[in-house]
Amino acid sequence: MAYDKFNILTSSAVPLPIENVDTDQIIPARFLKATERKGFGDNLFRDWRYNADNSPKESFVLNNPIYGGKILVGGKNFGSGSSREHAAWAVYDYGFRCVVSSFFADIFRNNCLNIGVLPVQVSAEFLDEIYKAIETDPKTELEISLPEQTITIKATGAQESFDINDYKKANMLNGFDDIDYLLNIKENIREFALDRPL
């Protein structure tokens, strides 16, 4: 499934300074029956967002109107637990295009990269700077440059670099998933196959 190209994202951010956020908290197992990548955003952090009677919990950050944007700033070890792709789907479907943390679980990181969510891993010190900037001004913006592989706190100019696999970077810049990538080079594959002995 193709998704929007990712180049430079400038946005305010939603702070979630909780460590060890696992995939069952991101999208509880009871919501995993669907097979399409739609509708999961409604249940992102479902048990943290809503009471038993489905009323919003005012204390949870996604229900706080002062925060918003396309960037989620999570605590250390974000996306641990089971390997469910639905966790990344829920993050994307809610409207986040980037998750920032000081450490990601590998499978969650890869699931995000496969669907157009950029996981940006920063140092613990820089993560603290981001939280402080948002606490000072909830509307403060972060700039995520995929071409330069940098994240910048616009208000202070503080900046840090992040790593990303070259293949996944190219796919995100083009809005490709793995199938789109193969379709894009099908002529090269056909030419290669013609040169091979039968």
Side-chain angles (χ1 to χ4, degrees):
M1 184 182 83
Y3 47 77
D4 295 337
K5 296 178 181 180
F6 195 114
N7 194 283
I8 297 174
L9 173 65
T10 302
S11 173
S12 54
V14 177
L16 187 69
I18 301 173
E19 294 190 355
N20 304 311
V21 174
D22 67 38
T23 53
D24 194 54
Q25 293 159 333
I26 297 171
I27 183 73
R30 63 187 183 277
F31 298 112
L32 305 187
K33 294 178 182 178
T35 55
E36 293 185 1
R37 303 175 188 175
K38 298 177 181 177
F40 289 98
D42 293 338
N43 295 307
L44 178 68
F45 299 118
R46 178 75 192 194
D47 295 335
W48 289 351
R49 283 170 70 189
Y50 297 100
N51 296 302
D53 63 358
N54 291 325
S55 60
K57 294 181 179 180
E58 293 183 8
S59 60
F60 188 61
V61 67
L62 292 189
N63 297 324
N64 189 334
I66 71 170
Y67 298 112
K70 297 188 176 196
I71 302 170
L72 176 64
V73 184
K76 181 181 179 181
N77 196 25
F78 194 92
S80 58
S82 73
S83 60
R84 65 191 66 167
E85 292 176 286
H86 305 70
W89 295 357
V91 170
Y92 182 88
D93 193 59
Y94 184 84
F96 291 119
R97 292 301 314 280
C98 177
V99 181
V100 180
S101 175
S102 59
F103 182 80
F104 289 97
D106 286 340
I107 294 176
F108 176 79
R109 179 205 305 270
N110 287 328
N111 286 339
C112 283
L113 288 168
N114 286 339
I115 65 159
V117 175
L118 180 62
V120 172
Q121 186 166 316
V122 298
S123 66
E125 294 76 17
F126 195 75
L127 188 66
D128 285 340
E129 284 190 57
I130 293 172
Y131 283 135
K132 288 174 184 175
I134 297 173
E135 183 179 2
T136 300
D137 177 11
K139 302 301 181 187
T140 196
E141 292 186 327
L142 304 178
E143 181 182 273
I144 316 293
S145 172
L146 181 54
E148 298 297 324
Q149 296 179 214
T150 57
I151 175 172
T152 306
I153 303 171
K154 298 281 284 181
T156 65
Q159 184 179 89
E160 194 166 280
S161 298
F162 61 88
D163 293 328
I164 183 172
N165 173 282
D166 287 342
Y167 166 70
K168 294 297 186 183
K169 177 180 179 178
N171 274 0
M172 290 202 72
L173 287 169
N174 287 290
F176 291 163
D177 64 12
D178 292 333
I179 300 300
D180 297 314
Y181 171 78
L182 290 173
L183 290 173
N184 188 59
I185 61 169
K186 63 182 180 181
E187 290 305 320
N188 304 72
I189 296 172
R190 183 176 291 113
E191 289 176 10
F192 178 83
L194 290 172
D195 288 339
R196 301 300 97 188
L198 295 175

